[in-house]
Amino acid sequence: MRAVRRHLFPQHSAPGQGVVWEWLSDDGSWTAYEASICDYLEQQVSKGNQLVDLAPLGYNYTVNYATHTQTNKTSSFCRSVRRQAGPPYPVTTIIAPPGHTGIACSCHQCLSGSGTGPVSGRYRHSMTNLPAYPAPQHPPHRTAFVFGTHQAFAPYNKPSLSGARSAPRLNTTNPWGAASPSLGSQPLYRFSLSHLGPQHLPPGSSTSGAVSASLPSGPSSSPGSVPATVPVQMPKPSRVQQALAGATPKPEPEQVIKNYTEELKVPPDEDCIICMEKLSAASGYSDVTDSKAIGPLAVGRLTKCSHAFHLLCLLAMYCNGNKDGSLQCPSCKTIYGEKTGTQPQGKMEVLRFQMSLPGHEDCGTILIVYNIPHGIQGPEHPNPGKPFTARGFPRQCYLPDNAQGRKVLELLKVAWKRRLIFTVGTSSTTGETDTVVWNEIHHKTEMDRNVTGHGYPDPNYLQNVLAELAAQGVTEDCLEQQ
């Protein structure tokens, strides 16, 4: 058992202003100093000190701002350092209801009233006001299981197609954010899951391509023990991996529309809900969407749900996304093909320990740790080429280690590989734009209380999250296909 403490940094400090100091590790990647060191370095440099001694903080190093180096005072070994300036962390203006000293929660789950816990009395998730720093480097033997991914229909607000007579937003979401404190010593079983997305990384970032995973080697006999690394065989490449590797060319947009629709000779007497024009009239996107294969008067019905639209409107909607070969009905949300998302590159780790969650005292707990670093937005994101922030990572989430909890875990792995857990957008908690946010698959980020509605006990959570996964096209059928 160890003591822990919580440290708050003022808004004018280095963490509050988005300033991070980093040192160059042996593998060529940049690692952030602790927040207190970043703040101390920033204070000393602002005073004009070019050589900063870290001895007052208990470290045997000096940092030279002029040469951007860190020197070990005993061995004289030098490392490169750098100062990264990100956007300042915003301060929320939401006021908590009377009788509670916390900050009111304004996440998507709380605002929409569609969450799994009580709507009233929810408050800000743990640690969402703290800036994120990259997680410490894992030992060399702890490698990651890498899966390929590719682009998909974007789950955030995109600009309407210019020139359309009617210009509805094709898809929207209100993301929500959370993070939670770390655990004490418990017997752990670990599994790593990483993905390489098509985003651009900032200078100094690195990824591992090793094909292995840390898996349980048997029951843990001592508290805090970590299982040995077990090599695993790379599974048969999925369509996502093949697409990323270039093995499967992207289908033509017109062909995707034809694959999932049946053209109607006589259009029904109703409106197209995409362009809001009569189906008997020309598509509202006919003046901005050019297609040799689909005419402006063509009307079709989706094969599963039978909802009818202008085929040119469906084409415009598809082309406004990531063109990954999947299509989602804008009326009932039925998914055609394999839906993927826009989640940035990151790492998903799964651990197990013996402590129980409230309401699930008959089993242990599954801990999911998501880690996504800051980066540069790719072509599938709202502002390609612009930096995005990743606040509050690593984020920790909890599931009961029972049959249904393990089913949810396997489906979350599928959702992670399809880039559906997170996206880049605007935080409804802080208002920050161009930041990594949750993507409508709710996670429990508190283990031993349910003050915010995002903890335990919650008897309906597992069933509700299965429904949310199904809405993203992630069902038990996906597990059978693996």
Side-chain angles (χ1 to χ4, degrees), residues 153-154 158-161 170-171 315-323:
F153 184 63
K158 279 206 171 187
S160 302
L161 297 177
L170 299 183
N171 196 11
L315 179 65
M317 184 184 75
Y318 177 79
C319 291
N320 194 54
N322 292 327
K323 295 174 283 192

Side-chain angles (χ1 to χ4, degrees), residues 129-181:
N129 254 351
L130 300 181
Y133 299 96
Q137 297 293 319
H138 290 300
H141 68 272
R142 208 174 285 175
T143 51
F145 197 175
V146 179
F147 293 86
T149 56
H150 69 308
Q151 302 172 12
F153 184 63
Y156 47 77
N157 294 346
K158 279 206 171 187
S160 302
L161 297 177
S162 59
R165 289 191 293 273
S166 300
R169 288 173 176 170
L170 299 183
N171 196 11
T172 60
T173 184
N174 290 317
W176 56 285
S180 190

Side-chain angles (χ1 to χ4, degrees), residues 100-303:
H100 192 278
T101 58
I103 304 175
C105 178
S106 60
C107 73
H108 170 66
Q109 180 176 353
C110 300
L111 290 177
S112 66
S114 61
T116 60
V119 175
S120 61
R122 292 182 179 166
Y123 300 93
R124 176 77 55 78
H125 315 292
S126 304
M127 297 174 66
T128 52
N129 254 351
L130 300 181
Y133 299 96
Q137 297 293 319
H138 290 300
H141 68 272
R142 208 174 285 175
T143 51
F145 197 175
V146 179
F147 293 86
T149 56
H150 69 308
Q151 302 172 12
F153 184 63
Y156 47 77
N157 294 346
K158 279 206 171 187
S160 302
L161 297 177
S162 59
R165 289 191 293 273
S166 300
R169 288 173 176 170
L170 299 183
N171 196 11
T172 60
T173 184
N174 290 317
W176 56 285
S180 190
S182 58
L183 295 168
S185 297
Q186 287 291 332
L188 299 179
Y189 304 88
R190 180 187 298 271
F191 174 73
S192 289
L193 189 63
S194 297
H195 76 244
L196 300 176
Q199 75 187 77
H200 305 279
L201 288 176
S205 297
S206 64
T207 54
S208 172
V211 183
S212 62
S214 296
L215 296 173
S217 57
S220 177
S221 57
S222 60
S225 63
V226 178
T229 300
V230 179
V232 294
Q233 184 177 358
M234 189 67 157
K236 182 179 179 181
S238 68
R239 184 172 63 81
V240 177
Q241 293 168 297
Q242 293 169 356
L244 183 65
T248 303
K250 286 187 178 181
E252 291 296 325
E254 289 87 350
Q255 188 58 49
V256 173
I257 302 304
K258 290 182 177 181
N259 288 344
Y260 302 130
T261 60
E262 175 187 355
E263 189 166 359
L264 300 176
K265 295 181 180 180
V266 179
D269 185 21
E270 56 188 64
D271 292 341
C272 172
I273 69 166
I274 298 177
C275 72
M276 304 309 296
E277 302 285 350
K278 284 286 187 181
L279 288 173
S280 56
S283 164
Y285 286 103
S286 59
D287 49 356
V288 293
T289 304
D290 184 28
S291 173
K292 296 179 180 179
I294 299 176
L297 292 171
V299 174
R301 191 186 302 277
L302 290 169
T303 54

